[in-house]
Amino acid sequence: METIKTFTIYVILIFGFFLLSNFLSGQLIEQMYKDLDGNVEEEFEYNGEQTALDVKILNAKATRMNGYLTARITNNTDNKVNKAYLRIDLFAKEDIKAITRYMEINDLEPGETKDYQLKFRAGYVDTYKVAVKEDFPDEDYIFEIFGYEINTKSIFGIDLSNYIDAKAIKAAGFNGVTSVFEFFGKVGHRFVIAAQSIPWWGYVGALAIIAGII
């Protein structure tokens, strides 16, 4: 009976320790987000004619691991934009391109405004370039796994699009399946980050408390 009681206390302490460290790491990560610098190209060719949308970047922030960009798009033309894309190029220091992502703009009526947010995973990003494009060149060659975009035309610099059918993978719902794994991956990742953010004396204190109880 005494062993069960000791074990229960041990579990409660570990669980409480995890919750506290997780909360503190969340606060720490939030403070690690830094504003990104960038520029926007609003003019693009749509249906064979030059046009322009008003693009305002509301937020663009990143940590050393990931980030997000929120854009407000206003159709200040007289024509409806059925489908276009925001191309976001993200750069690390010294103009080293980290990733390129596309966000779809759809059914934007004249005078209408919509907000779009892109979440990305890339290390040490500090600048961005945003441009409006009519097409998404590699849309049929890209699928997502564990939150990362895989372009079959360039996997480690090799074109594997003839061997990997991205459209079939998306049609089979693979993206949705991986979102389950991504959830558990995020939980595990947060646990690791929380553990790494705790100073050595925190572990020593926790071990001392547990040793005293046992």
Side-chain angles (χ1 to χ4, degrees), residues 23-35 61-64 68:
F23 171 77
L24 293 176
S25 67
Q27 297 298 311
L28 178 63
I29 291 174
E30 184 65 29
Q31 294 176 7
M32 290 172 61
Y33 277 94
K34 305 297 182 183
D35 292 331
K61 296 186 177 184
T63 68
R64 290 185 177 183
Y68 62 90

Side-chain angles (χ1 to χ4, degrees), residues 83 128 144 187:
K83 181 186 286 188
Y128 64 84
E144 186 175 302
V187 172

Side-chain angles (χ1 to χ4, degrees), residues 88-99:
I88 298 98
D89 294 312
L90 298 163
F91 298 87
K93 293 180 179 179
E94 300 179 0
D95 287 337
I96 301 173
K97 184 179 287 188
I99 58 172

Side-chain angles (χ1 to χ4, degrees), residues 1-11 213-214:
M1 188 68 179
E2 187 65 28
T3 302
I4 296 176
K5 181 179 178 181
T6 301
F7 179 75
T8 302
I9 295 174
Y10 179 83
V11 171
I213 294 176
I214 296 174

Side-chain angles (χ1 to χ4, degrees), residues 9-49:
I9 295 174
Y10 179 83
V11 171
I12 292 173
L13 283 173
I14 293 296
F15 185 68
F17 186 65
F18 170 72
L19 289 180
L20 177 61
S21 61
N22 198 40
F23 171 77
L24 293 176
S25 67
Q27 297 298 311
L28 178 63
I29 291 174
E30 184 65 29
Q31 294 176 7
M32 290 172 61
Y33 277 94
K34 305 297 182 183
D35 292 331
L36 304 180
D37 295 323
N39 58 72
V40 178
E41 180 183 330
E42 300 176 341
E43 186 171 301
F44 70 113
E45 187 172 293
Y46 189 69
N47 291 334
E49 297 181 359

